[in-house]
Structure formats: structure tokens, C-alpha cells
Amino acid sequence: MTILFNEQSKEFHLQGSNTSYIFKILENNHLGHIYYGKKLTHRDSFERMYHVRHQPNTNYEFEGDNKFSLDLIKQEYPAFGTTDFREPAYQLLQENGSTTTHFEYKEHTIYKGKKKLENLPATYVEAETEATTLEVSLYDRVIDAELLLTYTVFEKFDAITRSTKFVNHGNQNLNLFRVMSASVDFFDSDFEMIQLSGSWARERHIENRKLVPGIQRISSARGTSSAQQNPFIALKRPSTNEHQGEVYGVSLVYSGNFSAQVEVDHYDVSRLMIGINPFNFNWLLEAGESFQAPEVVMVYSDQGLNGMSQTFHELYRTRLARGLWRDKERPVLINNWEATYFDFDEQKIVNIAKESKQLGVELFVLDDGWFGKRNDDTTSLGDWFVDESKLPNGITGLANKVKDLGLEFGLWFEPEMVSKVSELYKTHPDWVIHRPERKISHGRNQYVLDFSRQDVVDYIYGLMAEILHEAPISYVKWDMNRYMSEIGSAKLPANRQREVAHRYILGVYQLYERLTTEFPEVLFESCASGGCRFDPGMLYYAPQGWTSDDTDAVERLKIQYGTSMVYPISSMGAHVSAVPNHQVERITSLATRANVAYFGAFGYELDVSEMDEQEKHQVKQQIQFYKENRGLIQQGTFHRLESPFTHEANTTSWIVVSQDKTEAVAGYYQLLALPNAGFQRVVFKGLEPNYAYSIDGISETFYGDELMHAGLQLDKYAGESLTGDFSSAIFKLTKI
Ligand code: DGJ
């Protein structure tokens, strides 16, 4: 795997294990895109793939030439203002009012390894041999500005990462009001676009649409990546399914406002781009300043959607997530939120902890309500001082009691927020995102702290660090429960107000970086009203995230299935909660709730002290099962088998197979019981065809090939589990 440059043809050929990505320096010194897809045998020139030609009704770049038009050529990082009329990758406003630019190839370097991105999360390497990087520098001599495009090809993954940086070397002010992280022009438009859309409590549902001429786009302007859209899209061929066919996935390593779009032009070329949402964005580049855009990860697969997802999973699990917890088996936790909400005291917490310990739980997490005067959600965010009326011995006292029971202790924070009713807001009303001449809208009775300000980030860091230093805390749940409105900062001048949303996210990243560096042993879990900010940016700091506030087993099938399109199952917090479920009032069995939650970072979120003996016994067994299999579940290869999104789907199934294929755990779920049902079977994937496997609870053995082609007959082998509505079965396979 390597990156080749041919001096004669001026072409770059980036080669992954199964991918080629080819572009060239054009006659006008812009970069032209040639090809992205299945790996091609290298040759000196691929020029014939992009040949220039005459077309009527076109503008041309050079006097006397009626062939060379950017409208007819696929481009690498397109500009607007000359002969291409499609949406560009960037726009720079100059002091004379012009937005026309002309960035010409200047030089490039190719080196082993991958550099860190300044102040932004990004994939990384642990040894230089793991990746090769290409940096191409382009220069606009009229405005004395540089554009740096960086590409990294990983040895082990069919992934190419890209990022973009602008540098103002001149002495005029430039305004960057559009800066995509990557743009790719494809030969044709015979694709379907996949996106992960939803809302609070139904995050990341898979949506699929056929490309049509014009722009199709998803975005967020909420100040976070959001539950409404996720910073990811994929283009798949119409015949591609989970198991076969071509697909291209792009995922932005960013947690703020983003935009992802595909523009299909009049010659059926599809231009895909992704980056910071240009809507309401502007960045002032003063003389000498630079702007670094977030990283994009591009994955190509000819092994269907599962092939694409497995590359994202492996790359994100091992080379985006960081820290001690990256490779460590995650603790089985219990969280008191749905058990007590704000109504708890030390005794109640200790009781739940004591009971949980008996059942095998390893970590107790104290959620919202432990600080200030927070007995409901109207007050105290920002006042990170323990409420002694609930916890007379402080966090340290409680944490020690929990530790003495033999459990680890975790604590909830919502660092980016302040309640209107709080000491912090009283003292610093200008520390919130606001416009002084406008009213401030509230969300959950709270305001967003202005993390674009260093003093605000420093203050919150100080409070959190003090608590983490003092108490034996081994886990932090970092919540964030409202979107941004009336966006403005008291600290920034008028011409930088449209930088606030991006500066805010940089402030969040900075706080995460400082805390994870200072407390490397602490496991961080990100959260935003459940999964309203579940994105690759967060995964860089927190190896797991709270997938959704919706803990209903049936709803979770769609949420976890959709989330797995990009994110590894080790990153998905998944808890068993009480019934009737608090979000949808549905009643499902304890078995089905666990059978869904096993495929994630497993835990409980209910009052175990209220369970009867039989339930406790069942929970004990569930925890034991998860502990025995969590290495495999958290680090194995995940295959989606049957989609809950298929029209009228009544069944969902998936399997996770160990790296060496000697073990696997599969989950099968049936929504409604079927009267007089026909034959049912589940067809597994990812096993070794000639290994013989035993399946727990079944006396016969099966070869991998039979299980992957004929499947397992469910009516024969799982009939008892699959009775009634919302039933499910788990199959543990072991090589004999
Ligand atoms: C929203 C989170 O998603 C919940 O899990 C819980 O922590 C609440 N916030 C607490 O306010």
C-alpha cells in the first residue's frame, strides 16, 4: 500500500489494500479527480479516464481552446467562479468583495505515518509503518493564500482520510465562509444515498434514497452533530445490500454543525462533499492565520454495507478511540437515572449499589441530581458542588462507600450547561451563548455555556478536576442536553460572531483533552440527551457513548442497528431498564431486554432492590453471560443479518464473531408472534466454513458452511424462546 506520483502524467495514485484513489494536476494547475473505487493495477497514466472534450453550452478556461472546461472534468477540491457551476468545496471572500480564487498546485510531500490535527480529533497511527500520508500544497498568488490538502492511506484498513487547511500568508483579511473537508466527483449517479436520521429517542434510523439531479443534502445547525442527522452518508449501488456490492461511506470526525451533500449534475456526475455546515458559518482569516477543517474518513467496500461498517468499526475502535479503556473490557454498570431520577439520598444509592454487587455489577454510576439544589431540572447546572442534604458525606464519602462494597464509582456531569437558577449564572450572566440585544431561549430550563471562551472552559475544568482528584471516580458520564440558539459570544468582535459554533466545539474538545490527559484511568462516556451527539469526534475522547435515552428493547433494535452502520458496538452504551418502559410504555421480557443490550457496552438502569428473587437470579445469569463473552462482543467482528428497517420487518438478527472465528454470539429478535408460522431460520455470516461449531443449549454440532448457507432452523432449535410478542433468542457458538 502506498502513494505514487508520476512526474510525467502528474498523477497521484493512492492505493489501499482494496482501493485506488487517483487524481492529477490539471493544465490550469488545479487538481482534477480521476477515480475512486476498487483497486486498479498501477500504470503511468490514467489520463483517458478524464479526457477533455468539447460540449455545447459550456465555458472554457483558455482563450482559443474549446475543450478544457472544469464543468466537464471531475475535480478534487472544486472552486467556484470560473468554468464550474456546481457547488464548490470552499469559498473565500476577499476585501474587494470577490470570491473568485485560483489555487494552483505548488508542491507536495509524501511521508510515512500521519500527523496529528491541530486541536481536533482525528484517526491516528501507533507506528509510522501503519499509514502513508500525502500533503498537496496549492497557492493563490493574487491573495497570497495557501490551501493544504492532506490524504492518509492506512495499511490495514480500506480507509482514506482527508483534511483541508487554509493559510493566509498575505496582509488582507480573508473570510472563509465555506470549507468542506473533502469533495469527491464520481463518474455516474447510479447510487442510493444512505443517511442516519431521527430525533431524540429514535436516533440514527437508516434512510435510503435514490440520487436525482440536483442537490440532496443533510445537515445540522443545532450546535451539535445532532440526533436529527449524523455526520455520515454512504453512496451504494442499487443492488448493494448488507452482504454484497459496492458502497462508499464518508464520516466526518466532528461534533458540531455539519453538512453532507451529493450534487448530481447535467452529465450524471455525482459530487459528494462533507464538512462544517456553511450555513451561518464564517471564519475570519487575518494576516498570518490559518484554519484547519475537521477530518473525513472515506471507506470503500465491495463487500456490501457490512464490509463498509466493519472497516469503520475496526478503524474507529482501534485508531480513533484512545486511552487505557480503548482495548480494555468495559465494566458492567448500573446507572440510577431511571431508577430514582432526582429523588435519592445516600442510603438509597448505597442500597442499590449493594444489591447490584450481589448480582455481579462492577460499576455504579450516579447520574443527575447530586449537586447544587437540583431536585428537578430547573436549577443548579454549573454549581458543581455536592448537595449535602442528599449526600451528607459528599461525593468522596459516597464513592468510598460504593468502593467498599467492591464496586467502582462513576459520576454524571453536564459541563457545557448552566441553569438560569444557579450561582454560576448569577455571577456570570455573560458566560452563556447569547446575543445581548435579544432574549435567550431556554431548553430544559438551561442555557449553553460559552465554551468559545477560554475563561469559561478553564473555570469548568477547575471544578471538574477538583472533584476527580478528590473522590475515587473511575468513570464520567458527560451529558449535554440542549441545542444552541441566539448564537453569539460576549467575548468576540462583530466580525467573528459566526465563528462561535465552531469555536464552542473546539472548547469542548479542549476540555475533553485536558481531562482525559489528566485522568487517563477514567472511562469517559459521552451523552447528549441520549444519542444527540453520537459521532466520531466524541469517540476520540470517550470510547463509549449513551446511544439513546430510549431503553425500550424493540426501539433499541432500530437504534443499535442503525448506529452500527458506522460505530463499533463497543461504543454503544446499552442498558436493561424497567417495564413498562419509561419512554414508550412497552412491556418486554427481561430476557429480551438483555438480549438486545448485550450487543453494546452493557449495563442496567433500574432499581434492582425492587426486583423479586427470580428476576435477580435471571439478572445474575445475564451478567455472567455478558462477562464471559464481552471480550468477543466488544472486539469481535459485527455482522448485521436481518434489518428491522425492511418493509414490514418482523425479525431482526445480528452476529458478532471473534477475530479468530472460534466463537460467536448471535441475537435473533421477533416483534410479533405469528399464528401458524411457517419455517423460520437464521442464516449466519462471518464463520469459518469448515469449523465445526457447538451451540449452547443444542446437542448437535454444525459446520460453519451449513450455518452460513442453509442456516439454523429456528422452529426446531429455538421454538421455546420464540413464543409471544417481542421474543428473542441468543446463540452462543463455539468451535469444537
Ligand atoms: C439525559 C441523559 O441522556 C440521561 O441518561 C440522563 O443522564 C439525564 N440526561 C439526566 O438529566
Side-chain angles (χ1 to χ4, degrees):
M1 273 113 278
T2 185
I3 298 179
L4 302 165
F5 178 66
N6 187 296
E7 292 283 349
Q8 245 70 54
S9 60
K10 296 192 171 152
E11 290 176 7
F12 297 94
H13 187 177
L14 284 59
Q15 295 181 308
S17 49
N18 189 37
T19 324
S20 282
Y21 187 99
I22 307 168
F23 63 97
K24 71 170 275 142
I25 304 163
L26 297 170
E27 287 90 316
N28 69 345
N29 278 331
H30 284 205
L31 298 180
H33 182 78
I34 295 183
Y35 171 87
Y36 178 31
K38 179 95 178 160
K39 189 169 186 172
L40 303 181
T41 307
H42 182 68
R43 51 188 305 134
D44 290 342
S45 174
F46 293 95
E47 187 158 346
R48 59 192 174 210
M49 285 192 215
Y50 95 100
H51 66 282
V52 295
R53 65 202 188 279
H54 175 76
Q55 291 287 110
N57 200 235
T58 304
N59 292 1
Y60 298 96
E61 287 278 307
F62 306 117
E63 197 72 44
D65 166 296
N66 60 1
K67 280 193 173 153
F68 188 86
S69 169
L70 297 180
D71 213 18
L72 305 174
I73 296 172
K74 295 200 296 299
Q75 281 164 80
E76 192 51 30
Y77 196 71
F80 180 77
T82 61
T83 57
D84 181 7
F85 301 95
R86 291 163 289 183
E87 287 213 342
Y90 69 95
Q91 278 200 291
L92 261 181
L93 177 65
Q94 297 135 55
E95 283 181 356
N96 63 6
S98 168
T99 56
T100 301
T101 53
H102 183 49
F103 280 96
E104 296 181 87
Y105 168 84
K106 189 173 144 211
E107 61 195 5
H108 73 268
T109 51
I110 296 171
Y111 55 88
K112 283 270 163 219
K114 183 177 194 287
K115 288 186 195 154
K116 259 177 104 98
L117 273 200
E118 288 159 39
N119 306 324
L120 281 166
T123 55
Y124 58 89
V125 292
E126 289 198 330
E128 292 212 326
T129 49
E130 289 182 6
T132 311
T133 296
L134 161 68
E135 288 180 8
V136 188
S137 162
L138 300 111
Y139 182 68
D140 185 321
R141 71 190 89 178
V142 173
I143 56 174
D144 195 7
E146 187 187 354
L147 162 60
L148 197 71
L149 300 178
T150 303
Y151 301 78
T152 296
V153 186
F154 282 85
E155 283 287 313
K156 207 177 126 195
F157 309 102
D158 259 316
I160 296 175
T161 63
R162 286 182 63 174
S163 67
T164 303
K165 182 177 177 174
F166 281 91
V167 190
N168 184 359
H169 294 293
N171 41 32
Q172 67 164 308
N173 283 347
L174 299 173
N175 274 292
L176 196 53
F177 60 92
R178 179 183 180 88
V179 53
M180 289 293 123
S181 294
S183 174
V184 185
D185 285 355
F186 291 89
F187 283 112
D188 65 274
S189 68
D190 189 22
F191 287 111
E192 288 169 4
M193 171 170 145
I194 297 179
Q195 62 198 58
L196 302 175
S197 304
S199 181
W200 172 80
R202 52 177 165 82
E203 296 91 340
R204 291 171 298 286
H205 282 206
I206 299 173
E207 297 288 341
N208 199 356
R209 53 172 137 161
K210 196 180 151 9
L211 292 187
V212 293
I215 294 172
Q216 27 263 292
R217 170 170 185 257
I218 56 159
S219 64
S220 167
R222 293 167 183 267
T224 75
S225 50
S226 87
Q228 282 67 17
Q229 305 291 355
N230 196 259
F232 158 84
I233 53 176
L235 290 183
K236 75 168 192 71
R237 295 297 179 188
S239 59
T240 296
N241 62 24
E242 288 287 16
H243 312 295
Q244 61 79 34
E246 277 197 308
V247 56
Y248 301 82
V250 291
S251 163
L252 188 68
V253 187
Y254 190 55
S255 310
N257 296 336
F258 76 95
S259 168
Q261 69 178 50
V262 182
E263 178 171 3
V264 176
D265 78 2
H266 51 306
Y267 296 121
D268 268 346
V269 170
S270 303
R271 171 169 295 173
L272 176 156
M273 50 177 75
I274 188 165
I276 291 177
N277 192 351
F279 171 71
N280 211 33
F281 170 81
N282 181 71
W283 196 274
L284 176 64
L285 268 186
E286 291 182 9
E289 288 182 347
S290 61
F291 182 84
Q292 173 66 62
E295 176 171 282
V296 174
V297 178
M298 309 194 305
V299 168
Y300 166 78
S301 159
D302 61 355
Q303 305 292 312
L305 297 173
N306 271 311
M308 172 195 73
S309 300
Q310 285 156 6
T311 302
F312 276 122
H313 294 175
E314 185 75 358
L315 178 64
Y316 281 4
R317 192 173 61 74
T318 62
R319 291 296 180 268
L320 177 62
R322 300 176 300 168
L324 285 181
W325 281 99
R326 185 188 74 182
D327 305 327
K328 257 175 106 168
E329 293 187 2
R330 308 289 163 71
V332 174
L333 67 79
I334 187 151
N335 178 304
N336 73 308
W337 179 242
E338 287 200 17
T340 66
Y341 295 101
F342 296 101
D343 181 20
F344 61 82
D345 57 20
E346 190 183 272
Q347 198 48 50
K348 204 167 184 180
I349 294 299
V350 170
N351 281 348
I352 297 177
K354 202 181 275 170
E355 202 65 64
S356 325
K357 173 67 191 169
Q358 301 301 318
L359 306 178
V361 169
E362 295 160 312
L363 163 71
F364 178 87
V365 179
L366 181 63
D367 210 279
D368 196 355
W370 57 266
F371 51 92
K373 300 188 181 71
R374 193 150 164 100
N375 295 317
D376 57 35
D377 64 13
T378 60
T379 135
S380 302
L381 292 171
D383 297 343
W384 299 109
F385 307 100
V386 73
D387 178 355
E388 288 181 356
S389 66
K390 286 182 185 169
L391 306 175
N393 300 303
I395 287 296
T396 309
L398 173 64
N400 280 329
K401 285 193 177 175
V402 169
K403 287 213 77 148
D404 290 346
L405 293 170
L407 288 164
E408 294 297 312
F409 181 79
L411 193 61
W412 179 96
F413 287 94
E414 194 174 356
E416 301 155 63
M417 297 290 153
V418 64
S419 303
K420 192 174 178 186
V421 184
S422 66
E423 292 307 312
L424 180 61
Y425 186 65
K426 236 189 268 167
T427 327
H428 293 292
D430 59 335
W431 274 18
V432 301
I433 299 275
H434 73 296
R435 290 294 324 161
E437 72 285 7
R438 305 276 170 198
K439 68 148 184 57
I440 317 179
S441 307
H442 65 90
R444 210 191 187 206
N445 312 297
Q446 65 197 52
Y447 299 152
V448 183
L449 279 174
D450 183 359
F451 265 43
S452 74
R453 295 173 62 138
Q454 191 59 46
D455 51 356
V456 175
V457 174
D458 289 347
Y459 176 78
I460 296 296
Y461 165 78
L463 291 184
M464 290 178 76
E466 196 179 317
I467 296 167
L468 294 176
H469 272 302
E470 200 193 300
I473 294 171
S474 52
Y475 162 106
V476 165
K477 177 174 172 188
W478 178 319
D479 204 349
M480 201 282 303
N481 287 305
R482 68 156 287 185
Y483 294 131
M484 250 180 225
S485 46
E486 296 88 22
I487 302 166
S489 168
K491 249 307 179 35
L492 289 171
N495 57 0
R496 289 198 180 270
Q497 288 295 320
R498 294 212 290 171
E499 298 176 9
V500 172
H502 180 60
R503 285 184 183 273
Y504 172 89
I505 288 296
L506 294 180
V508 172
Y509 289 155
Q510 188 207 110
L511 183 59
Y512 254 120
E513 184 68 35
R514 287 164 77 179
L515 290 170
T516 49
T517 308
E518 184 149 355
F519 303 98
E521 71 291 347
V522 172
L523 169 60
F524 281 78
E525 175 156 339
S526 73
C527 174
S529 303
C532 299
R533 195 168 65 184
F534 200 104
D535 58 55
M538 284 293 117
L539 202 52
Y540 182 70
Y541 303 99
Q544 61 191 57
W546 183 222
T547 319
S548 175
D549 271 349
D550 197 335
T551 53
D552 171 65
V554 173
E555 292 302 311
R556 274 295 184 122
L557 289 174
K558 282 189 172 164
I559 295 169
Q560 292 175 205
Y561 194 97
T563 303
S564 80
M565 196 54 71
V566 183
Y567 306 96
I569 57 173
S570 59
S571 70
M572 293 184 214
H575 301 172
V576 173
S577 63
V579 288
N581 173 267
H582 293 194
Q583 292 78 39
V584 296
E585 302 280 320
R586 187 176 284 125
I587 296 180
T588 54
S589 69
L590 186 52
T592 288
R593 280 173 273 155
N595 289 350
V596 177
Y598 285 151
F599 294 85
F602 183 70
Y604 289 81
E605 190 154 338
L606 40 70
D607 191 346
V608 276
S609 62
E610 285 179 354
M611 289 182 142
D612 63 31
E613 286 310 311
Q614 197 219 330
E615 285 173 324
K616 283 184 194 165
H617 177 69
Q618 208 178 335
V619 167
K620 221 176 191 170
Q621 287 182 323
Q622 292 173 345
I623 294 177
Q624 194 183 335
F625 173 83
Y626 187 74
K627 284 181 181 168
E628 280 164 17
N629 291 291
R630 68 180 146 187
L632 148 66
I633 290 173
Q634 292 169 5
Q635 283 153 29
T637 305
F638 183 72
H639 300 254
R640 292 177 299 268
L641 301 176
E642 289 170 87
S643 170
F645 295 102
T646 312
H647 184 56
E648 290 190 349
N650 197 40
T651 53
T652 299
S653 57
W654 48 46
I655 187 169
V656 55
V657 183
S658 66
Q659 304 283 351
D660 63 5
K661 302 192 175 190
T662 57
E663 282 185 296
V665 178
Y668 183 88
Y669 313 89
Q670 174 173 285
L671 295 192
L672 298 181
L674 297 176
N676 190 18
F679 299 108
Q680 266 178 292
R681 61 185 182 133
V682 58
V683 180
F684 295 138
K685 295 280 173 196
L687 303 171
E688 191 60 43
N690 54 11
Y691 283 180
Y693 294 93
S694 65
I695 302 180
D696 285 5
I698 300 176
S699 53
E700 295 154 57
T701 61
F702 304 82
Y703 279 104
D705 51 10
E706 179 186 335
L707 293 171
M708 292 195 293
H709 299 292
L712 184 73
Q713 303 304 311
L714 292 168
D715 38 300
K716 180 161 161 54
Y717 295 108
E720 271 175 34
S721 315
L722 296 173
T723 50
D725 294 346
F726 318 127
S727 57
S728 60
I730 290 290
F731 302 100
K732 170 67 199 287
L733 284 72
T734 312
K735 183 192 172 207
I736 305 168

